[in-house]
Amino acid sequence: MSILFSLEGAIGQGILWGIMALGVYITFRLLDFADLTVDGSFATGGAVAAVMVMAGVNPYLAVLVAMLTGFAAGAVTGFFNTVCKIPPILAGILSQIGLYSINLMIMGQSNIPMLNMSNMFSDLAEKIPALGWITPQNLSVICIGTLFVVATIALLYWFFGTELGSAIRATGNNQNMVRANGVSTNWTTIAALMLSNGLIALSGGLVAQQQGYADVKMGIGAIVMALASIVIGETIFGRKGGFARRLISIVVGSIIYRIIVSIVLQLGLDPNNLKLFTALLVAAALSIPVVLESRAQKANYKRLTEAVESVEDKF
């Protein structure tokens, strides 16, 4: 029964963190940009949302403002990369380091508790009954998280079908071709980074309200969790298929990752070793497809060699 209670919480968290994974997917897969701003912009979203909720601002407005701050963080990283010509990884690291101090300025302290403040999840939990063993608190997280995820996937599907969205995807595939068609790759890079970090900050704002506090270190390791969600989703669903299917697979991967973490913690894993477990999980998920593909290539080569030898024997 304790595992069931932990699973319902894991599903809700997986949905909320899935929005962050969608943001990372934009830079990691579509733009082919190793953006490490994630750890900072996620905490920025949480910090902004927490401060605004504590000030009595509408919780939904608070997460939208948090998303706008994520846009700004992504724009700074894009500026470092495109205008200052700083390599992508270093540009992300510089933004991440700077955001740590900015987050402290926003919060005024390292941690802001919101346990006695109403938020979007607590407000909904007071209005809905329990569903089976799912408590109103966890059910509210699942419902609101699903609403935001569906809206995010729908908007991303629409946006990447537009001219700008198509240009961003083309920039990740071949920048020279994009420039040859008269499109500024600097602008597409900045736009993608803004959209990515906006979604990451939105996720941070939602997670801060769900867990009841914002912490300056809440984004540490977020990039690894996002990569775990992406890799798990791609391992299960594959990297082929429609764009909407790939976006959905990322959220499903995030939910599966959270369920796996919940189960291993219930089985006795030391929480201090959770980062190590995540790193090993990502490494395994990245390695398995490569190993399977290598074996398939060797098997095909062996069959081809045998077929050639058989033909040679006949002649």
Side-chain angles (χ1 to χ4, degrees):
M1 185 59 68
S2 61
I3 293 180
L4 288 177
F5 284 123
S6 65
L7 287 182
E8 66 181 66
I11 293 172
Q13 287 188 0
I15 294 173
L16 298 182
W17 285 80
I19 299 175
M20 184 266 294
L22 289 171
V24 174
Y25 177 79
I26 293 172
T27 52
F28 181 65
R29 287 295 190 214
L30 299 184
L31 190 63
D32 194 24
F33 189 106
D35 182 24
L36 299 183
T37 314
V38 179
D39 291 9
S41 57
F42 184 84
T44 300
V48 171
V51 169
M52 295 189 71
V53 168
M54 293 295 291
V57 177
N58 183 283
Y60 290 91
L61 178 60
V63 294
L64 291 179
V65 174
M67 183 172 65
L68 294 178
T69 62
F71 288 157
V76 171
T77 302
F79 175 82
F80 285 156
N81 175 248
T82 59
V83 179
C84 301
K85 304 302 179 183
I86 299 175
I89 293 179
L90 185 55
I93 291 175
L94 291 175
S95 297
Q96 179 191 131
I97 293 173
L99 285 172
Y100 185 87
S101 296
I102 291 174
N103 294 339
L104 285 174
M105 294 179 191
I106 293 172
M107 295 192 293
Q109 56 193 32
S110 61
N111 185 286
I112 295 182
M114 299 184 293
L115 297 178
N116 296 325
M117 298 296 297
S118 62
N119 56 58
M120 62 177 71
F121 302 107
S122 62
D123 291 343
L124 180 60
E126 294 175 355
K127 301 175 183 178
I128 58 176
L131 181 62
W133 69 83
I134 304 179
T135 63
Q137 291 75 19
N138 287 327
L139 184 58
S140 67
V141 175
I142 294 173
C143 291
I144 293 177
T146 301
L147 177 64
F148 274 91
V149 163
V150 170
T152 300
I153 291 177
L155 289 173
L156 288 179
Y157 184 80
W158 166 81
F159 174 76
F160 282 103
T162 64
E163 184 176 346
L164 176 57
S166 299
I168 291 174
R169 297 171 71 173
T171 301
N173 291 327
N174 191 328
Q175 290 195 15
N176 293 328
M177 181 196 71
V178 174
R179 295 192 192 99
N181 283 276
V183 178
S184 172
T185 54
N186 288 350
W187 166 235
T188 55
T189 299
I190 293 175
L193 288 168
M194 289 177 64
L195 178 59
S196 170
N197 285 280
L199 293 178
I200 292 166
L202 171 63
S203 177
L206 291 171
V207 170
Q209 292 194 42
Q210 181 267 328
Q211 64 189 11
Y213 69 91
D215 190 275
V216 72
K217 296 182 180 180
M218 65 184 289
I220 294 179
I223 181 66
V224 179
M225 299 175 192
L227 292 177
S229 303
I230 294 171
V231 171
I232 291 173
E234 291 179 344
T235 301
I236 295 175
F237 291 90
R239 295 180 61 179
K240 298 180 180 180
F243 186 61
R245 180 173 179 267
R246 279 180 283 166
L247 295 177
I248 294 172
S249 72
I250 294 168
V251 178
V252 174
S254 175
I255 295 173
I256 293 175
Y257 166 74
R258 283 290 163 181
I259 290 175
I260 293 173
V261 169
S262 176
I263 291 175
V264 296
L265 288 176
Q266 287 291 324
L267 294 177
L269 176 70
D270 187 344
N272 293 326
N273 297 329
L274 184 57
K275 302 295 185 185
L276 175 61
F277 171 78
T278 302
L280 294 176
L281 180 64
V282 173
L286 287 171
S287 301
I288 290 174
V290 176
V291 172
L292 293 177
E293 184 178 357
S294 177
R295 289 185 177 181
Q297 290 178 349
K298 289 180 179 179
N300 291 335
Y301 177 78
K302 183 178 179 181
R303 286 195 294 268
L304 180 61
T305 303
E306 292 175 350
V308 171
E309 291 175 352
S310 175
V311 172
E312 290 178 347
D313 291 341
K314 291 180 180 179
F315 290 96

